[in-house]
Amino acid sequence: MTTSSVTSDVIVPPPEIRAVVNKTAQFVSKNGRAFESRILSSSEGSTPKFAFMSQSSPYNAYYESRIEFFTNGGDATEEERLLKQQRDEDEAALKSSESLSAAPIVSTSEGTVNRA
C-alpha cells in the first residue's frame, strides 16, 4: 500500500471540493494529462468546479500530489481514512486548547494563575 504524499504545506480542500479533486486526479493518473487538457478546454473547465487545476489555486498543490499518489498506486479509500484521522486529531487538539483557555483565572498574592 502506498502512503499519503500530502505534506503539511499542502492545503487540503474542504470535502465537497476534495471529492472532485480526487476523482479528477484519479482520471488524470489513469488517462494522462491529455484528459486534463480536455477538461480545461471544455466549457466546464473554466468554472469554479475545476479552479483547482489552475496553478494559481491554493488547492493546486493538493491536486498535483493526488495525481502522483494515484499514479503510484494510491488507494482513495485509504486516503480518505487518513484524512479523517488527521481531522479528528486536529479537532481533539483544538478542543483541548479551548478547554485550557476557558479555565477560570484566579489572582493570588503570588500572581495570576489559571485553575483547571
Side-chain angles (χ1 to χ4, degrees), residues 18-75:
R18 189 169 60 240
V20 176
V21 173
N22 285 344
K23 188 56 73 175
T24 304
Q26 282 180 299
F27 281 112
V28 171
S29 71
K30 181 179 178 182
N31 301 309
R33 293 288 180 164
F35 180 79
E36 180 182 67
S37 295
R38 285 197 311 268
I39 293 171
L40 290 172
S41 64
S42 73
S43 59
E44 199 170 9
S46 61
T47 65
K49 179 179 180 179
F50 291 104
F52 62 85
M53 297 174 91
S54 167
Q55 289 186 350
S56 63
S57 169
Y59 305 129
N60 184 261
Y62 177 81
Y63 168 63
E64 292 295 333
S65 74
R66 298 302 78 207
I67 293 171
E68 182 180 344
F69 175 76
F70 292 121
T71 299
N72 292 325
D75 177 26

